[in-house]
Amino acid sequence: MTAAAGVVEITVRATDPGLLFADDTFQVTVTSNQPPLVVLPIADLTVPENAPPRLNYANMNAVFSDPDNPDSALVYSIVANTPAGIVTAVIEPNDTLDLSFVAGASGVVNITVRATDPDLLFADDTFRVTVAPNNTSQTVGLFDPVK
């Protein structure tokens, strides 16, 4: 189904049994609504295992734009964070994205954030967070057995 927008004039006529009638004409305006757009994708990120949180990593109002609605009308959400248990992603009330990292966890995580407009149209942006393992190896001392 294609979207159509514009103004149309409609005339309604009511006729009684004696063929007397009354007309009323009015206009209906149909506006198009476009979904939000990703205008500044969130950059992928690589951090070492046990890294400190990245507060305000992205501003959702800079990532998304909506041609029909102000930023304040958009609702931001995290719709995917896979695999779980490595990165915690939170959208704060000021529309910024905070990332924190689970202690001792490493791996590659795909996070998808969504902007939804008042008509429930939406756009998604997926970015990757790589938490690199700390390659700490323990050295075991060698010794000569007692003879």
Side-chain angles (χ1 to χ4, degrees):
M1 180 168 129
T2 53
V7 178
V8 64
E9 191 169 277
I10 299 174
T11 301
V12 180
R13 175 175 282 183
T15 306
D16 69 13
L19 300 180
L20 298 174
F21 63 91
D23 289 341
D24 187 23
T25 302
F26 58 93
Q27 287 187 340
V28 174
T29 302
V30 177
T31 59
S32 67
N33 182 24
Q34 298 177 19
L37 305 169
V38 176
V39 293
L40 183 63
I42 300 172
D44 292 345
L45 175 67
T46 299
V47 297
E49 185 178 317
N50 301 319
R54 294 288 176 104
L55 304 179
N56 303 316
Y57 183 67
N59 179 339
M60 297 297 99
N61 295 320
V63 173
F64 297 99
S65 181
D66 190 308
D68 305 307
N69 298 287
D71 291 341
S72 61
L74 298 177
V75 175
Y76 302 111
S77 57
I78 297 167
V79 295
N81 182 351
T82 54
I86 300 172
V87 178
T88 301
V90 176
I91 298 175
E92 296 294 339
N94 67 353
D95 297 333
T96 59
L97 174 69
D98 291 349
L99 301 174
S100 59
F101 312 99
V102 176
S106 63
V108 177
V109 178
N110 290 312
I111 299 173
T112 302
V113 294
R114 175 174 288 174
T116 305
D117 74 12
D119 292 318
L120 303 182
L121 298 176
F122 62 88
D124 291 344
D125 183 34
T126 300
F127 65 102
R128 176 171 286 175
V129 177
T130 302
V131 179
N134 290 333
N135 292 324
T136 56
S137 58
Q138 295 181 349
T139 303
V140 177
L142 300 176
F143 63 95
D144 288 331
V146 177
K147 297 185 184 182

